[in-house]
């Protein structure tokens, strides 16, 4: 359930930025690192606890699925879809961030919101709807914005 939706989201985001996806591994390749601001799209796997090799990147995560039987043989669950936008947290000596670094990060966030808010995928029963935005300017040495969307998954 998660993997199919992840592939849809990664594919849409990669196409939007002009990134290539190598099959069957799913490795994201940036053919023009000097002109494409996003470098990678990965399934969230607590990358903050290890070394992040390349940024800016987007980590995609999903909330828990708690299914309810709506009618006989038809089950549905609300789903939180989380996009972690991760950029280098470059600070000057006084802890400030350069405007250009913040703008690049913000542009990626705005692009994800424009791309996915109210977008329907065949792997989800309802369109994604933006639910919340939360930013941390220094999370484990990274500038991170969490974009959370709501959708619904159905089983028949």
């Amino acid at each position: 359930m998660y993997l199919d939706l992840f592939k849809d989201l990664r594919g849409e985001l990669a196409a939007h930025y002009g990134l290539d996806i190598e099959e069957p591994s799913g490795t994201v390749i940036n053919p023009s690192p000097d002109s494409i601001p996003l470098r990678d799209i990965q399934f969230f796997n607590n990358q903050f606890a290890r070394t992040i090799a390349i940024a800016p990147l987007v980590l995609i995560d999903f909330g828990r699925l708690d299914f309810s039987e709506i009618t006989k043989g038809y089950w549905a669950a609300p789903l939180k879809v989380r996009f972690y936008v991760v950029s280098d947290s470059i600070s000057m000596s006084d802890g400030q961030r350069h405007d250009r670094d913040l703008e690049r990060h913000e542009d990626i966030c705005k692009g994800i919101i424009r791309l996915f808010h109210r977008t329907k995928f065949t792997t989800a029963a309802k369109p994604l709807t933006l639910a919340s935005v939360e930013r941390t300017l220094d999370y484990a040495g990274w500038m991170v914005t969490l974009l959370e969307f709501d959708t619904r998954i159905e089983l028949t």
Side-chain angles (χ1 to χ4, degrees):
M1 285 175 272
Y2 293 130
L3 184 58
D4 290 338
L5 182 53
F6 168 76
K7 286 180 177 181
D8 285 347
L9 298 170
R10 180 184 60 195
E12 190 76 19
L13 195 53
H16 175 76
Y17 279 99
L19 301 170
D20 298 323
I21 299 173
E22 182 182 274
E23 296 299 341
S25 70
T27 301
V28 175
I29 298 167
N30 186 330
S32 182
D34 293 332
S35 62
I36 299 174
L38 187 60
R39 301 291 174 91
D40 202 358
I41 306 162
Q42 300 175 10
F43 208 115
F44 179 78
N45 188 25
N46 198 17
Q47 284 88 336
F48 299 112
R50 294 178 289 286
T51 301
I52 295 176
I54 192 166
L57 78 146
V58 173
L59 304 172
I60 301 174
D61 191 21
F62 301 96
R64 177 184 164 110
L65 287 169
D66 290 317
F67 284 95
S68 299
E69 189 171 24
I70 306 302
T71 60
K72 187 175 182 173
Y74 172 76
W75 295 76
L79 177 64
K80 294 279 186 192
V81 177
R82 299 180 192 101
F83 294 86
Y84 294 90
V85 179
V86 181
S87 297
D88 297 83
S89 184
I90 301 168
S91 67
M92 297 181 278
S93 60
D94 60 357
Q96 293 293 322
R97 303 296 181 271
H98 291 281
D99 285 353
R100 183 63 206 129
D101 295 328
L102 291 167
E103 287 170 2
R104 181 189 69 203
H105 185 85
E106 277 284 316
D107 287 346
I108 293 170
C109 294
K110 289 176 188 176
I112 290 171
I113 292 169
R114 279 193 295 271
L115 191 61
F116 292 117
H117 182 60
R118 297 187 179 156
T119 300
K120 170 81 171 68
F121 293 92
T122 57
T123 48
K126 291 194 172 198
L128 274 70
T129 305
L130 183 64
S132 66
V133 176
E134 181 180 354
R135 174 178 305 139
T136 305
L137 287 177
D138 192 354
Y139 182 82
W142 299 95
M143 184 171 16
V144 179
T145 299
L146 169 61
L147 305 171
E148 195 168 60
F149 292 79
D150 291 325
T151 190
R152 186 175 181 90
I153 299 293
E154 296 177 348
L155 300 175
T156 53

